[in-house]
Structures are given as structure tokens and as C-alpha cells.
């Protein structure tokens, strides 16, 4: 039987949600022994698996360097290390924009730089390394107090050594959420 490690974090040792359980059952019905495995568990023998697939490693943002070092050491990791490294830091958005891919207008602020965001409209400040809404705050530049709070938030992220992205707030996120585009073997799934 083919053994597959579905990599997760300690907070979700059985993966994240009922859909994951159904996926494991479907794989088992096809003769694949898929099991959740926590990436920080030092007792795991990663070479004992026929494939290792990253699923719910939500804690990588706490120590992205350790996560990437772990990923580079795992044999048969289906998620290519260069892609993981590129995707772990949202600076990739600027590379996409340079390549002509339309993105939300984004300004990168590095530690040691001043954070500017204009004086009108809603905007978000987010760390370059993060997941979901972790470290993301929304502000309205129309109000002096909000601009002051935005400066404090940005400075806290910068003082922690993180880069900061400043983007106009996208109201559609509230109404429609975000959509992931998944490609398998170069084909849109």
C-alpha cells in the first residue's frame, strides 16, 4: 500500500476540517494509506513515506526559516521547495506585477523605511509573511486617529523584522472571499 504523509501543524494534528477526513477516506478507498503528520514532530521518519504533501502547516509563519529548512530536508516532498520558499513571503506579489499579472496595488515597506499610505480611503497593512488575517489590519486614512494607528501597527511589524505590504482595502473580500487557483501537473484543476 502506498503511504502518504499529509503534513499539518501541532494545532491541527488531524488536519483542518471534515473535508480533510473525507479526502483521507477517499484515498484509503483507492489503496493509499494517507495519514496526517505534524511537520515539527522530530520522531517522524519522512523517508518511510512514498510521498509527503503539505496540507495544513499554518504555524510556519512563526518560524518560516525552520519550516523551509525542514522542507528542504524531506525526501519525496511533492510541494517543490523553490515554490514553498517563493510562496512563503508575499513579496512574490511584486514579482507577479513585474511579470504583468494584475494584482491589487501594493507598496512594499522594508524595515528601516517609512510607511506612507496617503490621506484618503481605506487600506490594509499586512506582514509579508503571514496567513489569513494574522497581522492584517484595516484602516481609514480619512481620519487622523486611524492614520496614527496605522503607523503604530506598521512600525510594530517593521520592528519585528518583517516587511510590510500596504494595499487599498478590497471590499469584495468581505462579500465574496478569496479564490484559490489550483494547478496540477500544469493544468488548471
Amino acid at each position: 500500500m502506498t503511504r502518504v504523509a499529509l503534513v499539518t501543524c501541532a494545532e491541527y494534528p488531524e488536519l483542518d476540517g471534515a473535508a480533510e477526513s473525507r479526502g483521507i477516506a477517499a484515498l484509503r478507498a483507492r489503496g493509499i494509506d494517507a495519514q496526517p503528520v505534524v511537520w515539527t514532530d522530530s520522531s517522524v521518519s519522512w523517508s518511510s513515506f512514498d510521498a509527503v504533501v503539505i496540507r495544513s502547516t499554518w504555524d510556519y509563519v512563526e518560524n518560516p526559516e525552520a519550516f523551509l529548512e525542514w522542507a528542504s530536508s524531506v525526501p519525496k516532498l511533492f510541494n517543490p521547495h523553490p515554490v514553498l520558499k517563493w510562496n512563503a513571503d508575499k513579496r512574490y506579489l511584486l514579482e507577479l506585477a513585474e511579470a504583468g499579472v494584475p494584482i491589487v496595488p501594493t507598496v512594499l515597506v522594508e524595515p528601516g523605511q517609512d510607511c506612507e499610505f496617503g490621506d484618503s480611503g481605506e487600506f490594509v497593512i499586512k506582514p509579508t509573511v503571514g496567513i489569513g488575517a494574522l497581522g492584517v489590519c484595516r484602516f481609514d486614512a480619512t481620519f487622523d486617529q486611524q492614520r496614527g494607528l496605522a503607523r503604530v501597527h506598521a512600525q510594530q511589524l517593521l520592528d519585528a523584522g518583517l516587511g510590510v505590504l500596504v494595499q487599498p482595502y478590497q471590499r469584495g473580500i468581505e462579500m465574496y472571499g478569496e479564490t484559490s487557483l489550483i494547478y496540477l501537473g500544469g493544468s488548471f484543476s
Side-chain angles (χ1 to χ4, degrees):
M1 181 177 275
T2 301
R3 293 186 69 228
V4 176
L6 301 175
V7 186
T8 187
C9 61
E11 187 174 348
Y12 298 101
E14 296 303 316
L15 296 172
D16 188 10
E20 298 279 12
S21 296
R22 289 191 301 273
I24 290 172
L27 289 169
R28 287 195 177 136
R30 288 168 177 78
I32 298 171
D33 177 20
Q35 53 189 277
V37 184
V38 176
W39 75 273
T40 54
D41 183 347
S42 61
S43 69
V44 175
S45 172
W46 296 104
S47 61
S48 69
F49 293 96
D50 298 300
V52 178
V53 180
I54 292 177
R55 295 297 307 147
S56 304
T57 56
W58 306 129
D59 61 349
Y60 87 91
V61 298
E62 296 167 14
N63 193 343
E65 294 83 15
F67 175 74
L68 292 170
E69 183 178 324
W70 165 83
S72 69
S73 72
V74 175
K76 303 174 193 159
L77 182 65
F78 268 38
N79 310 81
H81 186 265
V83 174
L84 288 174
K85 185 175 180 181
W86 182 75
N87 192 258
D89 190 310
K90 291 177 180 55
R91 288 177 177 93
Y92 72 82
L93 290 170
L94 301 173
E95 290 180 38
L96 291 174
E98 286 178 21
V101 176
I103 67 164
V104 172
T106 301
V107 174
L108 171 65
V109 182
E110 296 286 7
Q113 296 178 328
D114 290 328
C115 189
E116 298 296 327
F117 34 77
D119 57 3
S120 66
E122 293 180 292
F123 62 97
V124 295
I125 292 178
K126 61 178 77 172
T128 55
V129 176
I131 58 168
L134 183 65
V136 178
C137 287
R138 174 177 150 192
F139 302 96
D140 188 339
T142 307
F143 303 101
D144 290 340
Q145 182 183 24
Q146 289 275 306
R147 287 195 307 273
L149 292 171
R151 282 188 186 84
V152 168
H153 179 64
Q155 196 59 55
Q156 288 172 336
L157 294 172
L158 293 165
D159 288 348
L162 296 169
V164 169
L165 299 179
V166 181
Q167 300 172 320
Y169 177 67
Q170 303 297 301
R171 191 160 301 283
I173 297 293
E174 278 182 56
M175 296 167 28
Y176 309 110
E178 294 180 286
T179 301
S180 297
L181 305 177
I182 300 173
Y183 289 82
L184 301 172
S187 297
F188 179 63
S189 169

